[in-house]
């Protein structure tokens, strides 16, 4: 049996539709769910092994996470149920306080990704969102307790098979964006 990565990709990565223009994210509550309207397709969709992203179950190794411009994100039902998971984290993850689902993550401080909200495309009520294209923070799945060190070769092999190139940080284009932001802030690169 293939190593399980995330329910959205375990049966193969489904290609997105170029005409996808958004939809509604819904939390897991069976009554009075929080809904968040997303008015655009997502970008930089990937699976993430970090310990902070929301995952659909405790033994799921990776989360599925992407970004969208924050002006395309609006809470359309039950905003009163939302709570920030960790106020000191760079990404303020707004989660449903009843079911625990993270609905969107926002960066308020000065950061390379400020203006982009982090969302979990699996919560969309419609199909067609951009497919995941890489795997971030792969080694962190050891820290989350879902994976033993000796299982990592198998995990990375499965990710490659799914064409989700494994990285132990973010993908090179995203790491370059962060480094560019830092270089400009330090004045070593012209703004
Ligand atoms: Zn909920
Ligand atoms: Zn993550």
């Amino acid at each position: 049996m293939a190593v399980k990565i995330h329910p959205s990709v375990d049966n193969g990565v489904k290609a997105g539709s170029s005409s996808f223009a958004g939809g509604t994210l819904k939390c897991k509550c069976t009554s009075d769910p929080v809904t968040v309207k997303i008015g655009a397709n997502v970008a930089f969709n990937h699976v993430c092994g970090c310990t902070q992203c929301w995952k659909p179950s405790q033994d799921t190794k990776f989360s599925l996470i992407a970004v969208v411009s924050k002006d395309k994100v609006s809470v359309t039902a039950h905003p009163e149920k939302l709570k920030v998971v960790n106020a000191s984290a760079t990404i303020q993850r707004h989660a449903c306080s009843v079911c625990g689902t993270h609905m969107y993550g926002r960066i308020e401080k000065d950061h390379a990704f400020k203006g982009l909200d982090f969302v979990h495309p699996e919560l969309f009520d419609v199909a067609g969102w951009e497919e995941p294209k890489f795997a971030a923070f792969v080694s962190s799945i050891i820290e989350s307790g879902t994976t033993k060190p000796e299982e990592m070769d198998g995990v990375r092999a499965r990710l490659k098979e799914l064409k989700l190139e494994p990285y132990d940080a973010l993908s090179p284009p995203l790491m370059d964006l962060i480094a560019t932001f830092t270089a400009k802030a330090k004045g070593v690169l012209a703004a």
Side-chain angles (χ1 to χ4, degrees):
M1 200 178 74
V3 179
K4 280 195 162 42
I5 302 297
H6 181 279
S8 294
V9 302
D10 285 336
N11 296 318
V13 175
K14 229 183 290 151
S17 154
S18 57
S19 61
F20 185 78
T24 295
L25 308 175
K26 202 166 116 185
C27 80
K28 303 284 187 186
C29 287
T30 48
S31 62
D32 302 325
V34 179
T35 60
V36 177
K37 187 174 177 281
I38 307 294
N41 201 351
V42 295
F44 294 111
N45 193 11
H46 62 284
V47 296
C48 181
C50 88
T51 55
Q52 298 191 59
C53 283
W54 173 82
K55 300 174 185 74
S57 74
Q58 230 164 24
D59 59 350
T60 304
K61 296 181 189 308
F62 290 86
S63 68
L64 184 74
I65 186 99
V67 297
V68 65
S69 175
K70 78 169 194 180
D71 56 342
K72 300 290 183 192
V73 176
S74 51
V75 180
T76 41
H78 298 290
E80 77 283 358
K81 293 174 87 174
L82 289 172
K83 221 172 61 189
V84 173
V85 176
N86 175 3
S88 60
T90 299
I91 302 174
Q92 305 272 290
R93 295 175 175 85
H94 296 252
C96 172
S97 51
V98 176
C99 69
T101 308
H102 293 192
M103 300 308 291
Y104 67 98
R106 183 162 291 174
I107 298 177
E108 306 289 357
K109 66 178 192 184
D110 228 16
H111 189 278
F113 303 151
K114 191 177 182 184
L116 297 174
D117 279 357
F118 291 74
V119 295
H120 299 288
E122 72 203 83
L123 301 175
F124 269 123
D125 58 345
V126 277
W129 32 269
E130 182 191 280
E131 71 275 17
K133 293 182 172 162
F134 64 94
F137 299 106
V138 173
S139 57
S140 298
I141 63 175
I142 299 172
E143 292 174 48
S144 68
T146 59
T147 314
K148 296 192 177 71
E150 58 269 27
E151 296 170 325
M152 293 305 288
D153 283 351
V155 169
R156 288 192 172 89
R158 176 60 176 153
L159 288 167
K160 286 190 173 168
E161 190 177 46
L162 290 167
K163 304 249 181 329
L164 297 169
E165 186 63 26
Y167 300 109
D168 294 313
L170 288 167
S171 64
L174 290 172
M175 293 308 287
D176 287 354
L177 281 175
I178 293 173
T180 301
F181 179 83
T182 306
K184 284 178 178 170
K186 279 166 61 179
V188 297
L189 181 70

